[in-house]
Amino acid sequence: MKILAIETSCDETAAAVIEKNGSEIKILANVVASQINIHQKYGGIFPEIASRAHVEKIIPVVEQALVCKKHTKVWSTKQSVTQALQKNVAQALQKNVAQALACDKPDAIAVTTGPGLIGSLLVGVNFAKTYAYVKNLPIIGINHWLGHIYSNFIGKSQISKLKSQSKIPEFPSLILIASGGHTGLILMKNHDKIQTLGETLDDAAGEAFDKVAKLLGLGYPGGPAISAAAEKILNPKSEIRNKSQIPKIKLPRPMLERSDFDFSFSGLKTAVLYKIKELTNNYHLKPKIFSAALAAEFQQAVIDILVGKTIQAAYQYRPKSICLCGGVSANKELREQMKKAVEKLPWKTSYHVPPIELSTDNAAMIGIAAAYHLGPKTSWDKINANANLKL
Ligand code: KG4
Ligand code: ZN
């Protein structure tokens, strides 16, 4: 059976085709249209503009997924904001709908129903409902966090870039989700027993990266911007040659001393703000070195918290596998430091992290989650978007 999966919970319009053949699950297509260029000007996501961009991109993206099955494709939405606003969205929909409906027919449709930005979710959910109604297909509503969890359950893939992961995590599995909207530790005993051990009490890890990047004037999205700035300090071949110029900065590691599995990142962000004030008053630093040093220490503080909490939970629950997922799992330092920490555990535990293309938002993970959670068939009128959907 072929599942067409749709994801529009935030600022990526994504569609994928997943094939399920008995227990074998395969990614046939994975298409993502990113809105980064549009939101960069605002230093963050502008929800109304995000939903308008989804309306424009949803049908071409689905069409690409259904037609160009062998490619993983990333589009960048290059239009200016004014163009996006002025464009008649209804016209865009009409123009492409006939083509999309004429494509290969999937056997089911999966869609992210929440959590996320309601205006963005509504575009994907209503597209999926219309598609299911017109084609008379069953529809599967998928929680976005469940999708991130399943980004580590790829199995086979027709796409060479997504082939790096051959083994599926064994249960019980301990899963760290770190994204822009959520951070939490999950214990998965089987596909239906998914327990939240702890979660963020305020900002998510990715949100902290985005806010700190803004404070440091590094741009949006913050994660890649912070890690690029930190690289100037961490990379021995970096342009900063005179190491004595690098200020010594120490930031706190909130919640790390506590024995529960909750997180809190807003205090860390405030600590960065105070450090910026303190350092600008006391030093005559070159701004590049100053922001790189702060970025490196901030990144390390987040990594220490994420790795530290995961390892604490591992000692308590003794999982057979440990998985990292969500947009922040694209962070190279985090991927490597978590791997080293897992390898040091005194019992055998496998470590799983998705290929970078499936770390940030995509529809393949939604389709894989659906393939494992097919359940009783639902019709289009039973599915609704819910911005605050819980796992
Ligand atoms: O999972 P995701 O694509 O969307 C949500 O579900 O929120 O995560 C997006 C988040 C953003 O906050 C972004 O700054 C962060 O993931 N991110 C990173 C990196 N790449 C993306 N954070 C740290 N390092 C990265 N390389
Ligand atoms: Zn996400």
Side-chain angles (χ1 to χ4, degrees):
M1 109 180 260
K2 275 188 205 146
I3 302 169
L4 167 66
I6 310 285
E7 154 65 44
T8 64
S9 66
C10 194
D11 62 341
E12 320 277 10
T13 317
V17 181
I18 303 299
E19 189 176 60
K20 183 173 158 65
N21 202 345
S23 62
E24 190 180 283
I25 291 166
K26 205 175 184 182
I27 303 177
L28 299 185
N30 184 49
V31 181
V32 180
S34 166
Q35 299 177 11
I36 284 178
N37 294 349
I38 296 182
H39 300 290
Q40 249 159 4
K41 300 179 185 71
Y42 301 97
I45 297 164
F46 204 116
E48 171 65 17
I49 291 171
S51 43
R52 284 170 183 251
H54 282 308
V55 172
E56 286 189 12
K57 284 284 171 276
I58 184 79
I59 290 170
V61 163
V62 168
E63 197 188 3
Q64 282 287 321
L66 290 173
V67 176
C68 307
K69 282 190 208 125
K70 286 191 182 133
H71 304 107
T72 181
K73 205 172 162 111
V74 179
W75 286 356
S76 195
T77 316
K78 290 214 169 66
Q79 292 155 307
S80 73
V81 178
T82 13
Q83 273 176 312
L85 284 171
Q86 280 167 358
K87 195 146 182 172
N88 183 333
V89 286
Q91 223 175 35
L93 267 171
Q94 276 165 13
K95 191 175 140 216
N96 292 298
V97 77
Q99 278 164 283
L101 292 177
C103 292
D104 266 16
K105 188 184 167 189
D107 304 294
I109 182 156
V111 62
T112 305
T113 49
L117 300 170
I118 191 64
S120 292
L121 286 165
L122 280 169
V123 177
V125 169
N126 282 299
F127 174 86
K129 286 169 74 154
T130 312
Y131 200 98
Y133 173 74
V134 172
K135 298 260 186 183
N136 194 22
L137 294 176
I139 185 165
I140 308 140
I142 295 291
N143 182 302
H144 184 75
W145 310 131
L146 192 74
H148 275 301
I149 291 173
Y150 279 89
S151 63
N152 276 309
F153 285 76
I154 300 179
K156 292 200 174 168
S157 163
Q158 188 163 299
I159 302 161
S160 57
K161 266 191 181 173
L162 306 182
K163 260 183 190 156
S164 53
Q165 210 193 27
S166 52
K167 272 182 114 186
I168 298 283
E170 265 186 272
F171 296 129
S173 184
L174 177 66
I175 295 150
L176 174 72
I177 306 179
S179 75
H182 188 59
T183 296
L185 269 166
I186 310 284
L187 185 68
M188 196 169 172
K189 289 191 180 148
N190 58 46
H191 291 288
D192 298 313
K193 268 198 176 163
I194 299 173
Q195 180 194 351
T196 299
L197 303 177
E199 56 193 345
T200 182
L201 305 177
D202 39 56
D203 293 351
E207 191 179 354
F209 268 97
D210 294 335
K211 287 178 175 170
V212 166
K214 206 169 184 178
L215 289 175
L216 293 173
L218 294 173
Y220 174 85
I226 297 252
S227 81
E231 198 57 16
K232 293 189 187 121
I233 300 279
L234 302 174
N235 187 341
K237 291 185 198 143
S238 85
E239 59 197 82
I240 301 172
R241 295 193 208 291
N242 184 357
K243 300 285 175 205
S244 64
Q245 285 183 317
I246 303 170
K248 299 253 176 300
I249 301 169
K250 190 75 191 158
L251 292 169
R253 270 70 174 153
M255 312 285 279
L256 202 49
E257 301 309 316
R258 280 173 47 160
S259 57
D260 60 29
F261 304 117
D262 287 335
F263 299 86
S264 166
F265 293 100
S266 77
L268 185 55
K269 173 198 68 195
T270 314
V272 171
L273 182 66
Y274 285 129
K275 272 284 171 231
I276 293 175
K277 285 188 181 156
E278 185 191 315
L279 291 172
T280 15
N281 290 340
N282 294 340
Y283 293 90
H284 298 288
L285 290 164
K286 289 191 179 146
K288 238 186 178 178
I289 301 180
F290 163 60
S291 59
L294 251 176
E297 170 61 5
F298 167 77
Q299 176 173 275
Q300 193 52 51
V302 175
I303 294 174
D304 287 347
I305 298 164
L306 295 177
V307 174
K309 284 277 169 199
T310 306
I311 298 301
Q312 274 174 31
Y315 273 97
Q316 185 158 332
Y317 294 97
R318 301 254 160 178
K320 286 194 177 151
S321 61
I322 294 183
C323 304
L324 176 61
C325 60
V328 181
S329 73
N331 188 282
K332 193 173 121 258
E333 281 293 318
L334 173 63
R335 291 165 87 91
E336 285 169 10
Q337 292 188 34
M338 185 71 89
K339 184 169 185 275
K340 281 188 190 146
V342 172
E343 281 167 357
K344 274 194 205 141
L345 288 171
W347 68 94
K348 208 169 162 277
T349 310
S350 59
Y351 172 62
H352 305 259
V353 63
I356 302 279
E357 287 79 5
L358 299 190
S359 282
T360 46
D361 287 350
N362 65 87
M365 65 186 195
I366 303 301
I368 300 166
Y372 280 99
H373 292 266
L374 284 174
K377 289 197 168 122
T378 323
S379 63
W380 65 273
D381 53 331
K382 304 285 185 304
I383 295 285
N384 279 310
N386 177 355
N388 302 311
L389 192 65
K390 298 276 177 256
L391 193 61

